Amino acid sequence: MTEETPGFEEKPDVPSGATPDDAEPKAAASEEGAAPAGDANQTAGLVAQLDQVRTALGERTADLQRLQAEYQNYRRRVERDRIAVKEIAIANLLTELLPVLDDIGRAREHGEFVGGFKSVGESLETVAAKMGLQQFGKEGEPFDPTIHEALMHSYAPDVTETTCVAILQPGYRIGERTIRPARVAVAEPQPGAQAAKAESSDAAPAEAADEKDNGPEEG
């Protein structure tokens, strides 16, 4: 049985010609050489994770922008439909009131628009105007088939184009939408009147020239 001598500790083997202190710098150097490699691997992993987070964030941002655009389009579509439905409802209501407005107009023309009937009629016309109803159609304006409906036709020597000579029923519109065309009597130029007028206008300068050439002779 071997007895250990107290007071002595075992020391690592040291190569011949070297002191025990020479072993510690070599161990430290090996640890320093291994540390940069570990840090590089850890940094590469963090960069990869950061790239993944950035990619996911970009995808979520694109999804959010797409949803926001779809929502804005939906709101505009709903608002447009709401306005269209409102305009249709107002147009339908005012269309039903047009015969009453026609009666009011005829009463005004015949001097019967008086008393309480006048007050009620003017109130109705005011409300209709506030709802956007506009009356159109005047005598003397050119005939436009998009807003006029010709119920009577005649010829007149004093017109140069098809003209509304009488308004039988006024037209009504809401904004740019016509809910009833103006019903009118139209007159066209008299057949041959334009040609005769052109001939007379051409003959006038010729006559003036002849008079100038055939002036009084000097004595």
Side-chain angles (χ1 to χ4, degrees), residues 23-189:
E24 293 180 359
K26 291 182 179 180
S30 63
E31 290 178 358
E32 291 177 358
D39 292 342
N41 293 334
Q42 186 176 7
T43 301
L46 292 175
V47 170
Q49 292 180 1
L50 181 59
D51 291 339
Q52 291 178 356
V53 172
R54 287 175 176 172
T55 301
L57 178 61
E59 292 175 352
R60 299 292 83 77
T61 302
D63 292 341
L64 180 61
Q65 292 175 344
R66 183 170 57 255
L67 288 175
Q68 186 176 10
E70 292 177 354
Y71 177 66
Q72 292 297 333
N73 292 334
Y74 167 76
R75 287 188 60 186
R76 285 193 292 266
R77 188 165 57 251
V78 169
E79 181 65 16
R80 186 171 58 249
D81 293 343
R82 184 187 68 81
I83 294 174
V85 169
K86 180 181 178 180
E87 290 179 350
I88 292 173
I90 292 175
N92 292 336
L93 173 62
L94 294 177
T95 300
E96 296 297 326
L97 292 177
L98 293 186
V100 180
L101 296 176
D102 291 336
D103 291 339
I104 293 173
R106 283 190 291 267
R108 182 181 285 112
E109 291 175 358
H110 292 86
E112 300 174 356
F113 198 53
V114 294
F117 177 54
K118 179 180 179 181
S119 177
V120 173
E122 290 178 344
S123 298
L124 180 60
E125 289 176 333
T126 301
V127 172
K130 287 182 178 180
M131 296 177 71
L133 186 67
Q134 299 175 354
Q135 186 183 104
F136 66 89
K138 295 181 180 179
E139 295 182 5
E141 64 185 6
F143 175 75
D144 184 350
T146 61
I147 60 173
H148 297 137
E149 181 181 353
L151 300 183
M152 298 177 63
H153 177 271
S154 62
Y155 294 97
D158 57 342
V159 297
T160 58
E161 60 181 339
T162 304
T163 305
C164 300
V165 294
I167 306 299
L168 306 178
Q169 276 187 334
Y172 290 96
R173 67 166 62 97
I174 300 176
E176 298 298 325
R177 180 180 180 181
T178 299
I179 63 176
R180 191 182 76 182
R183 291 164 181 169
V184 300
V186 298
E188 290 185 281

Side-chain angles (χ1 to χ4, degrees), residues 1-11:
M1 184 173 181
T2 306
E3 294 182 357
E4 296 181 356
T5 305
F8 291 91
E9 295 180 356
E10 294 183 358
K11 294 183 179 181

